[in-house]
Amino acid sequence: KQEATDPQAFLLDALAQRSLVIVGEVHNRPRYWAFNTALVRSPEFSRRVGVIYLEFPINDQPLMDRFLAAPTNDPAPVVEMLRDMFELGWPDQPTVEFCQAVWEVNRTLPQSQRLRLVLVDMARPWKEIQKREDWRKHDVDRDALMAENILRDLQEHRDDPRHALFIVGWMHAH
């Protein structure tokens, strides 16, 4: 009670002070994604953050890039990415809405200041996986892989002085 603050203000302050902020989440929580959506829409967010890392399969990055580059807000590539997430898909409309908010915010920004959404989790190319042996080459230490992918991307984009947000399941945030 003595030191509580508005969650959005708290996170924006952390994003101003830290080059990378990791937010652990419980998957498929509409309120949580509504918070993320409101955060992205805050004018302060794009001034402080240049990239958002997501716990989605890295092999679907072309889908995310196609979505963000599209002239219209068509969520079909994001839906395709979510369908590819697990053998049964990832039914999460609030995640779609979050990605759409990033697309909308990007339309208000100069090209050089647009937000990037970067997928950093292990590949799940289900079309290539027919047998257990096919899966083994993709079954890696996900936490280490996500960390390596983030560090590599930060290094490749070090010319952007803005910071990064990593949205990941709470168990990976450790």
Side-chain angles (χ1 to χ4, degrees):
K1 289 181 179 181
Q2 292 175 338
E3 297 184 36
T5 186
D6 174 73
Q8 188 177 91
F10 173 82
L11 199 47
L12 286 169
D13 186 51
L15 287 162
Q17 296 180 36
R18 306 278 190 272
S19 59
L20 174 65
V21 173
I22 302 170
V23 176
E25 54 112 3
V26 178
H27 298 318
N28 303 316
R29 298 293 194 261
R31 271 184 127 168
Y32 171 76
W33 284 102
F35 172 80
N36 288 337
T37 299
L39 180 70
V40 163
R41 287 191 168 127
S42 165
E44 286 299 307
F45 187 82
S46 62
R47 287 194 278 271
R48 296 176 185 186
V49 176
V51 60
I52 304 165
Y53 298 110
L54 298 172
E55 180 194 348
F56 288 110
I58 196 167
N59 59 294
D60 286 331
Q61 187 66 50
L63 292 170
M64 185 60 72
D65 293 343
R66 188 172 80 214
F67 166 73
L68 291 174
T72 59
N73 189 342
D74 176 9
V78 177
V79 171
E80 186 177 341
M81 175 195 74
L82 293 172
R83 284 182 179 149
D84 199 28
M85 184 65 178
F86 290 109
E87 58 276 5
L88 300 176
W90 191 264
D92 199 348
Q93 181 64 31
T95 301
V96 173
E97 293 165 2
F98 169 77
C99 293
Q100 289 181 298
V102 171
W103 184 93
E104 292 166 4
V105 167
N106 277 350
R107 293 303 166 273
T108 69
L109 300 170
Q111 186 73 29
S112 63
Q113 295 297 305
R114 290 187 174 176
L115 299 166
R116 294 184 305 118
L117 288 174
V118 176
L119 313 181
V120 296
D121 201 0
M122 64 184 262
R124 290 185 181 93
W126 294 112
K127 293 172 182 78
E128 299 172 18
I129 300 170
Q130 303 299 317
K131 298 179 262 180
R132 190 174 299 242
E133 307 86 65
D134 300 334
W135 172 251
R136 285 193 183 110
K137 67 181 175 183
H138 300 287
D139 190 17
V140 297
D141 179 339
R142 293 176 57 206
D143 296 334
L145 179 73
M146 288 188 281
E148 290 167 11
N149 288 334
I150 290 170
L151 290 172
R152 182 176 37 260
D153 185 75
L154 287 171
Q155 186 67 24
E156 289 172 4
H157 294 90
R158 65 176 173 251
D159 56 323
D160 187 345
R162 296 174 300 165
H163 297 165
L165 174 64
F166 180 26
I167 299 173
V168 64
W170 67 269
M171 63 191 164
H172 300 290
H174 299 293

